[in-house]
Amino acid sequence: MSDPEPDSVFRKRLLRVLTEADRQVAMVVSGDQLDDLGRKYDRFRTGVPLKGLEEGSRATSGLPKGWWRKR
């Protein structure tokens, strides 16, 4: 496995595909929360195995269900 992609590099890649509301979120979150946001857009940090897949289960988000819905 290669070295994990730093938050700053992953955030830069994400900003190209995020909606305006999610761009604002991406600027303040880091680590697992940034990974969860990327997963919403099918973007994954390079060099890091997805959580849960190493045990053969499906990766799950740490954010509450429906957090992306507009209010």
Side-chain angles (χ1 to χ4, degrees):
M1 185 77 31
S2 62
D3 291 332
E5 183 175 37
D7 282 350
S8 59
V9 174
F10 185 48
R11 182 178 292 112
K12 187 175 178 180
R13 283 196 307 116
L14 278 179
L15 290 175
R16 297 181 206 152
V17 297
L18 299 177
T19 63
E20 186 59 38
D22 284 340
R23 279 189 194 111
Q24 294 174 7
V25 172
M27 296 308 292
V28 295
V29 300
S30 63
D32 289 344
Q33 291 176 324
L34 194 59
D35 291 339
D36 290 339
L37 184 59
R39 195 169 287 123
K40 176 181 169 185
Y41 290 88
D42 292 327
R43 298 296 189 272
F44 305 96
R45 192 183 300 255
T46 58
V48 179
L50 294 177
K51 265 190 276 181
L53 292 183
E54 57 276 359
E55 294 99 29
S57 63
R58 186 172 180 265
T60 57
S61 174
L63 295 172
K65 185 176 181 179
W67 68 273
W68 63 87
R69 293 189 183 135
K70 293 183 180 178
R71 297 174 188 215

